[in-house]
Amino acid sequence: TEKYRLIHNGVDAAHFRPDPEMRKELRDRLGIPQDSRVIATVAAYTERKGHRTVTQAVLPLLKEDPQLHLALFGTVPEREFDLRPELMEMFRAAGVSGQVHMPGPMEDVRIVYCGCDIFCMASLVEGLSLASIEAQMCGCLSLFSDIPSFREVVQDGVNGFLFPVGDAISLRQAIQHAFALPRQQADSMREHARSLA
């Protein structure tokens, strides 16, 4: 054991920090009105990242609220497992494809973290994701699947919310709850997110 040393994941706190100016920039990049609400995620377009859970959770909310948008930023490391065509068909069939954005990776991911209203990661399995730490450092209001690695980052109800893995109904309820939070409580959770990260 004297030959081993544990080095925790971490990010640059001076680089990943809240920046309210990026809210406008994200909406400009997506080509949507400035008063739009945005749920965002940063994850490869593959099965284990839980995009189907996010889709099933958000679809009814998009139909109810034309000002709500979903932005899925990510890469396609394995083309044969690319979920985008399937997801876009689900959104098209529901008549909300104009509210969904899958632009690929963002060169400065801070624009996503600082610009969205809710940051969501629905991974089925995950190591300790740098994206989860970066999001918390930027003060995101975060909703993460309840898996061991995310429990290291989120204290449920303190600096974000956890929902059962693969449970779209619970995620939808968590999104509705997060949007309904009084401004002061939401700001307090964002401050706790950065502090704990």
Side-chain angles (χ1 to χ4, degrees), residues 69-130:
H69 290 256
L70 175 65
L72 306 173
F73 294 90
T75 58
V76 185
E78 302 162 322
R79 293 226 172 262
E80 63 270 29
F81 300 115
D82 185 359
L83 288 179
R84 287 177 301 174
E86 176 188 335
L87 299 178
M88 283 310 299
E89 177 55 28
M90 292 170 70
F91 292 122
R92 189 204 60 74
V96 296
S97 55
Q99 294 167 258
V100 180
H101 314 270
M102 286 191 264
M106 176 77 81
E107 71 279 2
D108 186 353
V109 75
R110 293 176 304 165
I111 296 168
V112 181
Y113 302 139
C114 296
C116 68
D117 296 286
I118 290 176
F119 184 72
C120 179
M121 294 187 77
S123 303
L124 309 180
V125 293
E126 188 78 61
L128 183 52
S129 160
L130 279 179

Short mmCIF file of all heavy atoms in Angstrom, two decimals, residues 69-130:
data_model
loop_
_atom_site.label_atom_id
_atom_site.label_comp_id
_atom_site.label_asym_id
_atom_site.label_seq_id
_atom_site.Cartn_x
_atom_site.Cartn_y
_atom_site.Cartn_z
N HIS A 69 -36.61 24.44 -23.70
CA HIS A 69 -35.75 23.79 -24.69
C HIS A 69 -34.86 22.77 -24.01
O HIS A 69 -34.47 22.93 -22.85
CB HIS A 69 -34.88 24.83 -25.41
CG HIS A 69 -35.67 25.70 -26.34
ND1 HIS A 69 -35.64 25.54 -27.71
CD2 HIS A 69 -36.52 26.72 -26.10
CE1 HIS A 69 -36.43 26.43 -28.27
NE2 HIS A 69 -36.97 27.17 -27.31
N LEU A 70 -34.53 21.72 -24.76
CA LEU A 70 -33.61 20.69 -24.30
C LEU A 70 -32.38 20.72 -25.19
O LEU A 70 -32.49 20.67 -26.42
CB LEU A 70 -34.26 19.30 -24.36
CG LEU A 70 -33.36 18.11 -24.03
CD1 LEU A 70 -32.90 18.16 -22.57
CD2 LEU A 70 -34.09 16.80 -24.32
N ALA A 71 -31.20 20.82 -24.59
CA ALA A 71 -29.95 20.84 -25.35
C ALA A 71 -29.06 19.70 -24.89
O ALA A 71 -28.68 19.64 -23.72
CB ALA A 71 -29.25 22.18 -25.15
N LEU A 72 -28.77 18.78 -25.82
CA LEU A 72 -27.94 17.62 -25.53
C LEU A 72 -26.60 17.80 -26.25
O LEU A 72 -26.52 17.65 -27.46
CB LEU A 72 -28.62 16.33 -26.01
CG LEU A 72 -30.05 16.09 -25.50
CD1 LEU A 72 -30.65 14.87 -26.19
CD2 LEU A 72 -30.07 15.91 -24.00
N PHE A 73 -25.58 18.15 -25.50
CA PHE A 73 -24.25 18.36 -26.07
C PHE A 73 -23.43 17.09 -25.87
O PHE A 73 -23.41 16.53 -24.77
CB PHE A 73 -23.54 19.53 -25.39
CG PHE A 73 -24.19 20.85 -25.64
CD1 PHE A 73 -25.18 21.33 -24.80
CD2 PHE A 73 -23.81 21.63 -26.73
CE1 PHE A 73 -25.78 22.56 -25.04
CE2 PHE A 73 -24.40 22.86 -26.97
CZ PHE A 73 -25.40 23.31 -26.12
N GLY A 74 -22.75 16.63 -26.93
CA GLY A 74 -21.94 15.43 -26.77
C GLY A 74 -21.22 15.03 -28.03
O GLY A 74 -21.30 15.71 -29.06
N THR A 75 -20.54 13.93 -27.93
CA THR A 75 -19.79 13.36 -29.06
C THR A 75 -20.36 12.00 -29.41
O THR A 75 -21.20 11.46 -28.69
CB THR A 75 -18.31 13.20 -28.70
OG1 THR A 75 -18.21 12.36 -27.54
CG2 THR A 75 -17.66 14.55 -28.39
N VAL A 76 -19.90 11.45 -30.52
CA VAL A 76 -20.31 10.11 -30.95
C VAL A 76 -19.04 9.27 -31.05
O VAL A 76 -18.46 9.13 -32.13
CB VAL A 76 -21.04 10.15 -32.31
CG1 VAL A 76 -21.56 8.76 -32.66
CG2 VAL A 76 -22.18 11.15 -32.27
N PRO A 77 -18.60 8.69 -29.93
CA PRO A 77 -17.36 7.90 -29.98
C PRO A 77 -17.51 6.60 -30.77
O PRO A 77 -16.55 6.08 -31.33
CB PRO A 77 -17.06 7.62 -28.51
CG PRO A 77 -18.36 7.78 -27.81
CD PRO A 77 -19.15 8.78 -28.59
N GLU A 78 -18.75 6.07 -30.84
CA GLU A 78 -18.99 4.81 -31.55
C GLU A 78 -20.23 4.99 -32.43
O GLU A 78 -21.36 4.97 -31.93
CB GLU A 78 -19.21 3.66 -30.56
CG GLU A 78 -18.03 3.46 -29.62
CD GLU A 78 -18.42 2.65 -28.39
OE1 GLU A 78 -19.53 2.83 -27.88
OE2 GLU A 78 -17.60 1.84 -27.95
N ARG A 79 -20.02 5.21 -33.73
CA ARG A 79 -21.13 5.56 -34.62
C ARG A 79 -22.25 4.51 -34.65
O ARG A 79 -23.41 4.86 -34.80
CB ARG A 79 -20.60 5.79 -36.03
CG ARG A 79 -19.72 7.01 -36.13
CD ARG A 79 -20.07 7.85 -37.34
NE ARG A 79 -19.32 9.10 -37.30
CZ ARG A 79 -19.82 10.23 -36.85
NH1 ARG A 79 -21.05 10.28 -36.42
NH2 ARG A 79 -19.09 11.33 -36.83
N GLU A 80 -21.88 3.24 -34.50
CA GLU A 80 -22.93 2.21 -34.55
C GLU A 80 -23.86 2.26 -33.34
O GLU A 80 -24.93 1.66 -33.35
CB GLU A 80 -22.31 0.80 -34.67
CG GLU A 80 -21.45 0.36 -33.49
CD GLU A 80 -19.99 0.73 -33.64
OE1 GLU A 80 -19.68 1.74 -34.29
OE2 GLU A 80 -19.16 0.00 -33.08
N PHE A 81 -23.45 3.02 -32.29
CA PHE A 81 -24.30 3.15 -31.11
C PHE A 81 -24.85 4.56 -30.94
O PHE A 81 -25.28 4.95 -29.86
CB PHE A 81 -23.52 2.74 -29.85
CG PHE A 81 -23.01 1.33 -29.90
CD1 PHE A 81 -21.65 1.07 -29.93
CD2 PHE A 81 -23.88 0.26 -29.93
CE1 PHE A 81 -21.17 -0.23 -29.98
CE2 PHE A 81 -23.42 -1.04 -29.99
CZ PHE A 81 -22.06 -1.29 -30.01
N ASP A 82 -24.84 5.35 -32.01
CA ASP A 82 -25.31 6.74 -31.98
C ASP A 82 -26.82 6.76 -31.78
O ASP A 82 -27.59 6.28 -32.61
CB ASP A 82 -24.93 7.41 -33.30
CG ASP A 82 -25.27 8.89 -33.33
OD1 ASP A 82 -25.82 9.40 -32.33
OD2 ASP A 82 -24.97 9.53 -34.35
N LEU A 83 -27.26 7.37 -30.67
CA LEU A 83 -28.68 7.41 -30.35
C LEU A 83 -29.43 8.59 -30.97
O LEU A 83 -30.65 8.65 -30.89
CB LEU A 83 -28.86 7.48 -28.82
CG LEU A 83 -28.55 6.22 -28.02
CD1 LEU A 83 -28.78 6.50 -26.54
CD2 LEU A 83 -29.42 5.06 -28.46
N ARG A 84 -28.72 9.51 -31.59
CA ARG A 84 -29.38 10.72 -32.07
C ARG A 84 -30.53 10.47 -33.04
O ARG A 84 -31.60 11.09 -32.88
CB ARG A 84 -28.35 11.66 -32.71
CG ARG A 84 -27.45 12.34 -31.70
CD ARG A 84 -26.41 13.21 -32.36
NE ARG A 84 -25.57 12.40 -33.25
CZ ARG A 84 -24.64 12.90 -34.05
NH1 ARG A 84 -24.44 14.21 -34.10
NH2 ARG A 84 -23.91 12.11 -34.81
N PRO A 85 -30.40 9.59 -34.05
CA PRO A 85 -31.55 9.39 -34.95
C PRO A 85 -32.80 8.91 -34.21
O PRO A 85 -33.91 9.39 -34.48
CB PRO A 85 -31.04 8.32 -35.92
CG PRO A 85 -29.55 8.49 -35.91
CD PRO A 85 -29.21 8.85 -34.50
N GLU A 86 -32.62 7.99 -33.29
CA GLU A 86 -33.77 7.48 -32.52
C GLU A 86 -34.40 8.58 -31.66
O GLU A 86 -35.62 8.74 -31.62
CB GLU A 86 -33.32 6.33 -31.62
CG GLU A 86 -34.40 5.80 -30.71
CD GLU A 86 -33.89 4.79 -29.70
OE1 GLU A 86 -32.85 4.14 -29.97
OE2 GLU A 86 -34.52 4.65 -28.64
N LEU A 87 -33.56 9.36 -30.99
CA LEU A 87 -34.07 10.42 -30.14
C LEU A 87 -34.78 11.49 -30.96
O LEU A 87 -35.87 11.95 -30.59
CB LEU A 87 -32.93 11.05 -29.33
CG LEU A 87 -32.18 10.12 -28.37
CD1 LEU A 87 -31.05 10.89 -27.70
CD2 LEU A 87 -33.11 9.51 -27.34
N MET A 88 -34.20 11.89 -32.08
CA MET A 88 -34.82 12.92 -32.91
C MET A 88 -36.16 12.46 -33.47
O MET A 88 -37.10 13.26 -33.60
CB MET A 88 -33.89 13.35 -34.05
CG MET A 88 -32.77 14.28 -33.62
SD MET A 88 -33.30 15.72 -32.64
CE MET A 88 -34.42 16.57 -33.78
N GLU A 89 -36.28 11.17 -33.77
CA GLU A 89 -37.56 10.64 -34.24
C GLU A 89 -38.62 10.73 -33.13
O GLU A 89 -39.78 11.05 -33.41
CB GLU A 89 -37.40 9.19 -34.72
CG GLU A 89 -38.69 8.53 -35.16
CD GLU A 89 -39.44 9.29 -36.25
OE1 GLU A 89 -38.80 10.02 -37.05
OE2 GLU A 89 -40.69 9.16 -36.29
N MET A 90 -38.22 10.47 -31.90
CA MET A 90 -39.16 10.59 -30.78
C MET A 90 -39.63 12.04 -30.63
O MET A 90 -40.83 12.30 -30.43
CB MET A 90 -38.48 10.12 -29.48
CG MET A 90 -38.20 8.63 -29.44
SD MET A 90 -37.16 8.16 -28.02
CE MET A 90 -38.31 8.41 -26.67
N PHE A 91 -38.72 12.98 -30.74
CA PHE A 91 -39.09 14.39 -30.63
C PHE A 91 -39.94 14.84 -31.81
O PHE A 91 -40.91 15.59 -31.65
CB PHE A 91 -37.84 15.26 -30.52
CG PHE A 91 -37.08 15.08 -29.22
CD1 PHE A 91 -35.75 14.68 -29.23
CD2 PHE A 91 -37.70 15.27 -28.00
CE1 PHE A 91 -35.05 14.51 -28.05
CE2 PHE A 91 -37.01 15.10 -26.81
CZ PHE A 91 -35.68 14.72 -26.83
N ARG A 92 -39.58 14.36 -33.03
CA ARG A 92 -40.35 14.71 -34.23
C ARG A 92 -41.77 14.20 -34.12
O ARG A 92 -42.73 14.93 -34.41
CB ARG A 92 -39.68 14.14 -35.48
CG ARG A 92 -40.28 14.64 -36.79
CD ARG A 92 -40.03 13.69 -37.93
NE ARG A 92 -40.59 12.37 -37.70
CZ ARG A 92 -41.88 12.07 -37.77
NH1 ARG A 92 -42.78 13.01 -38.05
NH2 ARG A 92 -42.31 10.84 -37.55
N ALA A 93 -41.93 12.95 -33.68
CA ALA A 93 -43.25 12.34 -33.56
C ALA A 93 -44.11 13.09 -32.54
O ALA A 93 -45.34 13.14 -32.67
CB ALA A 93 -43.12 10.87 -33.17
N ALA A 94 -43.47 13.67 -31.53
CA ALA A 94 -44.21 14.41 -30.51
C ALA A 94 -44.45 15.86 -30.92
O ALA A 94 -45.15 16.60 -30.22
CB ALA A 94 -43.43 14.37 -29.19
N GLY A 95 -43.86 16.28 -32.05
CA GLY A 95 -44.07 17.64 -32.54
C GLY A 95 -43.27 18.71 -31.80
O GLY A 95 -43.66 19.88 -31.79
N VAL A 96 -42.14 18.31 -31.19
CA VAL A 96 -41.36 19.28 -30.41
C VAL A 96 -39.91 19.37 -30.89
O VAL A 96 -39.04 19.89 -30.18
CB VAL A 96 -41.39 18.93 -28.90
CG1 VAL A 96 -42.80 19.04 -28.34
CG2 VAL A 96 -40.80 17.54 -28.64
N SER A 97 -39.64 18.89 -32.10
CA SER A 97 -38.24 18.85 -32.57
C SER A 97 -37.60 20.24 -32.62
O SER A 97 -36.38 20.37 -32.50
CB SER A 97 -38.14 18.16 -33.93
OG SER A 97 -38.99 18.77 -34.87
N GLY A 98 -38.40 21.29 -32.78
CA GLY A 98 -37.87 22.65 -32.79
C GLY A 98 -37.37 23.12 -31.43
O GLY A 98 -36.68 24.13 -31.33
N GLN A 99 -37.73 22.37 -30.39
CA GLN A 99 -37.30 22.73 -29.03
C GLN A 99 -36.14 21.87 -28.54
O GLN A 99 -35.73 21.98 -27.40
CB GLN A 99 -38.47 22.57 -28.06
CG GLN A 99 -39.62 23.55 -28.29
CD GLN A 99 -40.86 23.15 -27.53
OE1 GLN A 99 -41.81 22.60 -28.10
NE2 GLN A 99 -40.87 23.41 -26.23
N VAL A 100 -35.62 21.03 -29.43
CA VAL A 100 -34.55 20.11 -29.04
C VAL A 100 -33.31 20.41 -29.88
O VAL A 100 -33.40 20.61 -31.09
CB VAL A 100 -34.98 18.64 -29.25
CG1 VAL A 100 -33.86 17.69 -28.85
CG2 VAL A 100 -36.23 18.35 -28.43
N HIS A 101 -32.16 20.41 -29.24
CA HIS A 101 -30.92 20.77 -29.90
C HIS A 101 -29.85 19.72 -29.56
O HIS A 101 -29.62 19.43 -28.40
CB HIS A 101 -30.46 22.16 -29.43
CG HIS A 101 -31.57 23.16 -29.45
ND1 HIS A 101 -31.86 23.93 -30.55
CD2 HIS A 101 -32.50 23.47 -28.50
CE1 HIS A 101 -32.90 24.70 -30.28
NE2 HIS A 101 -33.30 24.43 -29.04
N MET A 102 -29.23 19.16 -30.60
CA MET A 102 -28.13 18.21 -30.42
C MET A 102 -26.96 18.65 -31.29
O MET A 102 -26.67 18.04 -32.32
CB MET A 102 -28.59 16.79 -30.76
CG MET A 102 -29.50 16.19 -29.70
SD MET A 102 -29.81 14.43 -29.89
CE MET A 102 -31.37 14.47 -30.75
N PRO A 103 -26.29 19.73 -30.91
CA PRO A 103 -25.27 20.32 -31.77
C PRO A 103 -23.90 19.67 -31.71
O PRO A 103 -22.97 20.16 -32.35
CB PRO A 103 -25.19 21.76 -31.23
CG PRO A 103 -25.55 21.63 -29.79
CD PRO A 103 -26.54 20.52 -29.71
N GLY A 104 -23.77 18.60 -30.97
CA GLY A 104 -22.45 18.00 -30.82
C GLY A 104 -21.71 18.60 -29.65
O GLY A 104 -22.33 19.15 -28.74
N PRO A 105 -20.39 18.55 -29.65
CA PRO A 105 -19.63 19.11 -28.52
C PRO A 105 -19.54 20.63 -28.60
O PRO A 105 -19.64 21.21 -29.67
CB PRO A 105 -18.25 18.47 -28.68
CG PRO A 105 -18.14 18.16 -30.13
CD PRO A 105 -19.52 17.87 -30.62
N MET A 106 -19.39 21.25 -27.45
CA MET A 106 -19.20 22.70 -27.36
C MET A 106 -17.73 22.95 -27.04
O MET A 106 -17.18 22.35 -26.12
CB MET A 106 -20.08 23.27 -26.25
CG MET A 106 -19.90 24.75 -26.00
SD MET A 106 -20.71 25.79 -27.24
CE MET A 106 -22.41 25.78 -26.65
N GLU A 107 -17.11 23.84 -27.81
CA GLU A 107 -15.66 24.06 -27.61
C GLU A 107 -15.36 24.66 -26.24
O GLU A 107 -14.31 24.40 -25.65
CB GLU A 107 -15.08 24.93 -28.73
CG GLU A 107 -15.48 26.39 -28.71
CD GLU A 107 -16.84 26.66 -29.32
OE1 GLU A 107 -17.52 25.69 -29.74
OE2 GLU A 107 -17.23 27.84 -29.39
N ASP A 108 -16.29 25.45 -25.70
CA ASP A 108 -16.15 25.98 -24.34
C ASP A 108 -17.37 25.54 -23.56
O ASP A 108 -18.42 26.18 -23.59
CB ASP A 108 -16.02 27.50 -24.35
CG ASP A 108 -15.74 28.08 -22.96
OD1 ASP A 108 -15.77 27.31 -21.97
OD2 ASP A 108 -15.47 29.29 -22.87
N VAL A 109 -17.23 24.44 -22.85
CA VAL A 109 -18.37 23.82 -22.20
C VAL A 109 -18.93 24.68 -21.06
O VAL A 109 -20.06 24.49 -20.62
CB VAL A 109 -18.00 22.40 -21.71
CG1 VAL A 109 -17.11 22.44 -20.48
CG2 VAL A 109 -19.23 21.54 -21.47
N ARG A 110 -18.17 25.66 -20.61
CA ARG A 110 -18.67 26.56 -19.57
C ARG A 110 -19.93 27.30 -20.03
O ARG A 110 -20.79 27.64 -19.20
CB ARG A 110 -17.59 27.59 -19.19
CG ARG A 110 -16.38 27.00 -18.50
CD ARG A 110 -15.34 28.08 -18.26
NE ARG A 110 -14.99 28.74 -19.52
CZ ARG A 110 -14.34 29.89 -19.58
NH1 ARG A 110 -13.98 30.53 -18.48
NH2 ARG A 110 -14.04 30.43 -20.76
N ILE A 111 -20.05 27.52 -21.34
CA ILE A 111 -21.24 28.20 -21.86
C ILE A 111 -22.49 27.39 -21.55
O ILE A 111 -23.55 27.93 -21.23
CB ILE A 111 -21.11 28.42 -23.38
CG1 ILE A 111 -19.94 29.37 -23.66
CG2 ILE A 111 -22.40 28.96 -23.98
CD1 ILE A 111 -19.53 29.44 -25.13
N VAL A 112 -22.36 26.06 -21.61
CA VAL A 112 -23.49 25.18 -21.28
C VAL A 112 -23.80 25.25 -19.79
O VAL A 112 -24.93 25.47 -19.37
CB VAL A 112 -23.19 23.72 -21.69
CG1 VAL A 112 -24.38 22.82 -21.36
CG2 VAL A 112 -22.84 23.65 -23.17
N TYR A 113 -22.76 25.03 -18.97
CA TYR A 113 -22.97 25.00 -17.52
C TYR A 113 -23.53 26.32 -16.99
O TYR A 113 -24.46 26.32 -16.18
CB TYR A 113 -21.65 24.73 -16.80
CG TYR A 113 -20.95 23.44 -17.17
CD1 TYR A 113 -19.57 23.41 -17.33
CD2 TYR A 113 -21.65 22.26 -17.37
CE1 TYR A 113 -18.90 22.24 -17.65
CE2 TYR A 113 -21.01 21.09 -17.71
CZ TYR A 113 -19.62 21.08 -17.85
OH TYR A 113 -18.96 19.93 -18.18
N CYS A 114 -22.96 27.42 -17.42
CA CYS A 114 -23.37 28.73 -16.91
C CYS A 114 -24.64 29.25 -17.57
O CYS A 114 -25.31 30.13 -17.02
CB CYS A 114 -22.24 29.74 -17.11
SG CYS A 114 -20.74 29.37 -16.18
N GLY A 115 -24.96 28.72 -18.74
CA GLY A 115 -26.09 29.24 -19.49
C GLY A 115 -27.41 28.52 -19.29
O GLY A 115 -28.47 29.08 -19.54
N CYS A 116 -27.36 27.28 -18.81
CA CYS A 116 -28.61 26.52 -18.70
C CYS A 116 -29.32 26.83 -17.38
O CYS A 116 -28.72 27.33 -16.43
CB CYS A 116 -28.34 25.03 -18.82
SG CYS A 116 -27.42 24.29 -17.44
N ASP A 117 -30.60 26.51 -17.33
CA ASP A 117 -31.38 26.67 -16.10
C ASP A 117 -31.26 25.43 -15.23
O ASP A 117 -31.22 25.52 -14.00
CB ASP A 117 -32.85 26.93 -16.45
CG ASP A 117 -33.02 28.23 -17.20
OD1 ASP A 117 -32.92 29.30 -16.56
OD2 ASP A 117 -33.22 28.19 -18.43
N ILE A 118 -31.23 24.27 -15.88
CA ILE A 118 -31.06 22.99 -15.19
C ILE A 118 -30.05 22.16 -15.96
O ILE A 118 -30.12 22.07 -17.18
CB ILE A 118 -32.40 22.22 -15.09
CG1 ILE A 118 -33.35 22.92 -14.11
CG2 ILE A 118 -32.18 20.77 -14.66
CD1 ILE A 118 -34.73 22.29 -14.04
N PHE A 119 -29.11 21.56 -15.23
CA PHE A 119 -28.14 20.66 -15.84
C PHE A 119 -28.46 19.25 -15.38
O PHE A 119 -28.61 18.98 -14.19
CB PHE A 119 -26.71 21.03 -15.42
CG PHE A 119 -25.67 20.20 -16.10
CD1 PHE A 119 -25.39 20.38 -17.45
CD2 PHE A 119 -24.99 19.22 -15.41
CE1 PHE A 119 -24.43 19.60 -18.09
CE2 PHE A 119 -24.02 18.45 -16.04
CZ PHE A 119 -23.74 18.63 -17.38
N CYS A 120 -28.59 18.33 -16.34
CA CYS A 120 -29.04 16.98 -16.04
C CYS A 120 -28.04 15.94 -16.55
O CYS A 120 -27.56 16.05 -17.68
CB CYS A 120 -30.41 16.77 -16.69
SG CYS A 120 -31.08 15.12 -16.44
N MET A 121 -27.74 14.95 -15.72
CA MET A 121 -26.96 13.79 -16.15
C MET A 121 -27.71 12.55 -15.68
O MET A 121 -27.92 12.36 -14.49
CB MET A 121 -25.55 13.82 -15.56
CG MET A 121 -24.71 14.99 -16.10
SD MET A 121 -22.98 14.93 -15.58
CE MET A 121 -22.36 13.65 -16.69
N ALA A 122 -28.11 11.72 -16.64
CA ALA A 122 -28.95 10.55 -16.35
C ALA A 122 -28.21 9.25 -16.57
O ALA A 122 -28.81 8.22 -16.88
CB ALA A 122 -30.22 10.60 -17.20
N SER A 123 -26.91 9.25 -16.42
CA SER A 123 -26.08 8.08 -16.71
C SER A 123 -26.57 6.83 -15.98
O SER A 123 -26.98 6.89 -14.81
CB SER A 123 -24.63 8.34 -16.30
OG SER A 123 -24.12 9.48 -16.95
N LEU A 124 -26.50 5.70 -16.70
CA LEU A 124 -26.83 4.41 -16.08
C LEU A 124 -25.66 3.92 -15.25
O LEU A 124 -25.84 3.34 -14.17
CB LEU A 124 -27.18 3.39 -17.16
CG LEU A 124 -28.22 3.82 -18.21
CD1 LEU A 124 -28.46 2.71 -19.21
CD2 LEU A 124 -29.52 4.24 -17.54
N VAL A 125 -24.45 4.12 -15.76
CA VAL A 125 -23.21 3.83 -15.04
C VAL A 125 -22.24 4.95 -15.36
O VAL A 125 -22.32 5.55 -16.42
CB VAL A 125 -22.60 2.46 -15.44
CG1 VAL A 125 -23.47 1.31 -15.00
CG2 VAL A 125 -22.35 2.39 -16.93
N GLU A 126 -21.33 5.22 -14.45
CA GLU A 126 -20.42 6.34 -14.66
C GLU A 126 -19.30 6.27 -13.64
O GLU A 126 -19.52 5.91 -12.48
CB GLU A 126 -21.19 7.65 -14.46
CG GLU A 126 -20.45 8.91 -14.83
CD GLU A 126 -20.40 9.15 -16.33
OE1 GLU A 126 -21.46 9.31 -16.95
OE2 GLU A 126 -19.28 9.15 -16.87
N GLY A 127 -18.09 6.62 -14.08
CA GLY A 127 -17.04 6.90 -13.12
C GLY A 127 -17.29 8.29 -12.56
O GLY A 127 -18.33 8.90 -12.83
N LEU A 128 -16.37 8.82 -11.79
CA LEU A 128 -16.57 10.18 -11.30
C LEU A 128 -16.34 11.14 -12.46
O LEU A 128 -15.22 11.45 -12.83
CB LEU A 128 -15.63 10.50 -10.14
CG LEU A 128 -15.83 11.88 -9.51
CD1 LEU A 128 -17.28 12.11 -9.13
CD2 LEU A 128 -14.94 12.07 -8.31
N SER A 129 -17.43 11.58 -13.04
CA SER A 129 -17.43 12.39 -14.25
C SER A 129 -16.86 13.78 -14.01
O SER A 129 -17.28 14.48 -13.08
CB SER A 129 -18.87 12.50 -14.75
OG SER A 129 -19.04 13.57 -15.62
N LEU A 130 -15.93 14.19 -14.86
CA LEU A 130 -15.43 15.56 -14.78
C LEU A 130 -16.54 16.56 -15.10
O LEU A 130 -16.58 17.65 -14.53
CB LEU A 130 -14.26 15.76 -15.74
CG LEU A 130 -12.89 15.27 -15.24
CD1 LEU A 130 -11.83 15.50 -16.30
CD2 LEU A 130 -12.49 15.98 -13.95
#
